[in-house]
Amino acid sequence: MARRKRGLNIHGVVLLDKPAGISSNRALQKVRGIYQARKAGHTGSLDPFATGMLPVCLGEASKTAAFMLEAGKRYRATARLGEATTTGDIEGDIIQTCSVALLDAEFLIRTLKSFEGQIEQVPPMYSALKHEGKPLYEYARAGIEIERPARRVTIYQLDLVDWQSPNLTFDVHCSKGTYVRTLAEDIATALGSCAHLVALRRTAVEPFESSPMVTLEQMQEAREQGGLEQFLLPVDAGLSGWPRVELDIDQQGRFEHGNRFEYTPAESNAEQVRVYGPEDNLLGLADLDPSGILKPLKVFNL
């Protein structure tokens, strides 16, 4: 007989301001523990030294996490020019020192802007990408270098924030899969130097650009005062850009049983939609194909 998971049926999205010094999974478990939630998931890891927005999906919201991985992200990063490390950040050992030229703001801005658009990045060895079933960082720790093909990512905007030699601070709005550590190293190369990140903060994950974050300490305090619900966003908050369809009571029954059926009006192109019942109740996620067939992707148990 399968063991039933312990915890409460808490459903929603919490925008955690992850502290430095812990992994994303550890931060996730802390949020889950504070809420005593039965299920939890997150939408993309932050390095342990990094801080900032980590959307934590509790309960049925965890079914949306995989779809939120496609979201664009915003970061503020500080790179120290003149030193490269094994990991590309402060957690690694220094493996190279380089000279740092006198750089003026105009040249820095021009160099940063040259990285906007689609670029090719070689993923770092110290990453969670897998090779033959093992994450690359395990090979790196064993001193094994694995050839990695370059991947195309998009830098939507890259702005200079501050330059106090040797520290260069910049804001970046980028697509999923972008390694800011690698971006910093590539920028340094273009400036005739080398670099590693000394600070990294994720300031936003789409579509939460204007949403406030909450710290673990604030959650703990709210728990003691019985006010944790204030930090819970709706289950589908991370998919607010998806079109919404509304079903009648008969269609709701078919959807809840995982059945596909004809839905009108049909959209001109296949797309993913949020599905609501006649009482404005969220039912799940679906594909709506050009022929007008609604195909359940995820059915929520709310």
Side-chain angles (χ1 to χ4, degrees):
M1 184 176 178
R3 292 180 62 185
R4 189 175 181 182
K5 283 188 176 181
R6 295 181 180 180
L8 304 176
N9 287 318
I10 304 293
H11 309 293
V13 179
V14 178
L15 300 179
L16 173 67
D17 187 347
K18 188 190 89 66
I22 63 173
S23 69
S24 294
N25 186 61
R26 179 61 180 151
L28 164 73
Q29 296 306 327
K30 283 181 175 288
V31 175
R32 179 183 176 186
I34 291 172
Y35 276 88
Q36 297 180 298
R38 185 169 295 175
K39 292 194 301 183
H42 64 68
T43 64
S45 296
L46 276 171
D47 291 332
F49 88 100
T51 67
M53 187 175 286
L54 181 70
V56 175
C57 301
L58 301 175
E60 291 298 272
S62 62
K63 294 179 179 178
T64 72
F67 301 101
M68 292 167 62
L69 293 174
E70 301 295 316
K73 299 171 177 67
R74 295 179 184 270
Y75 298 90
R76 175 160 291 186
T78 298
R80 179 164 297 156
L81 272 63
E83 295 176 344
T85 68
T86 52
T87 59
D89 57 38
I90 56 174
E91 297 188 316
D93 299 322
I94 295 174
I95 54 173
Q96 183 184 9
T97 57
C98 310
S99 60
V100 181
L102 292 174
L103 303 169
D104 60 42
E106 182 180 344
F107 179 66
L108 285 169
I109 292 171
R110 189 164 63 248
T111 302
L112 292 176
K113 291 300 178 184
S114 72
F115 283 86
E116 291 184 343
Q118 289 193 331
I119 64 171
E120 298 283 329
Q121 272 196 343
V122 177
M125 276 299 300
Y126 279 89
S127 68
L129 287 178
K130 291 189 175 180
H131 174 76
E132 296 182 351
K134 289 171 55 178
L136 287 177
Y137 62 76
E138 289 191 13
Y139 293 98
R141 289 170 181 167
I144 301 172
E145 182 84 10
I146 302 295
E147 186 174 350
R148 291 97 62 205
R151 304 195 309 178
R152 181 165 293 181
V153 297
T154 302
I155 306 299
Y156 302 112
Q157 189 170 352
L158 188 56
D159 295 319
L160 174 66
V161 175
D162 190 43
W163 167 240
Q164 299 291 331
S165 183
N167 291 335
L168 172 67
T169 300
F170 57 88
D171 283 341
V172 58
H173 177 202
C174 55
S175 67
K176 70 156 191 171
T178 302
Y179 287 95
V180 184
R181 285 175 290 153
T182 301
L183 178 63
E185 291 172 334
D186 292 344
I187 291 170
T189 298
L191 295 172
S193 188
C194 56
H196 68 281
L197 286 186
V198 294
L200 179 64
R201 179 168 179 79
R202 188 153 69 192
T203 55
V205 176
E206 294 172 351
F208 302 114
E209 293 95 327
S210 59
S211 302
M213 292 179 263
V214 58
T215 66
L216 291 171
E217 291 76 18
Q218 288 171 322
M219 274 186 272
Q220 188 61 53
E221 182 178 347
R223 176 185 175 180
E224 294 168 0
Q225 298 174 357
L228 273 175
E229 286 192 3
Q230 66 181 301
F231 304 127
L232 272 179
L233 300 178
V235 166
D236 60 344
L239 305 177
S240 58
W242 288 28
R244 167 177 168 151
V245 300
E246 298 177 0
L247 307 183
D248 60 33
I249 192 66
D250 292 331
Q251 292 170 327
Q252 174 177 327
R254 280 182 276 175
F255 182 86
E256 289 177 331
H257 284 90
N259 298 321
R260 62 176 64 190
F261 54 89
E262 186 175 347
Y263 176 85
T264 54
E267 299 292 324
S268 58
N269 295 303
E271 61 180 322
Q272 296 170 318
V273 296
R274 296 174 292 151
V275 181
Y276 280 77
E279 298 181 353
D280 199 34
N281 50 318
L282 179 63
L283 302 176
L285 310 174
D287 273 332
L288 182 58
D289 72 21
S291 65
I293 301 299
L294 192 73
K295 306 172 185 176
L297 286 173
K298 297 288 182 181
V299 177
F300 297 146
N301 182 24
L302 298 173

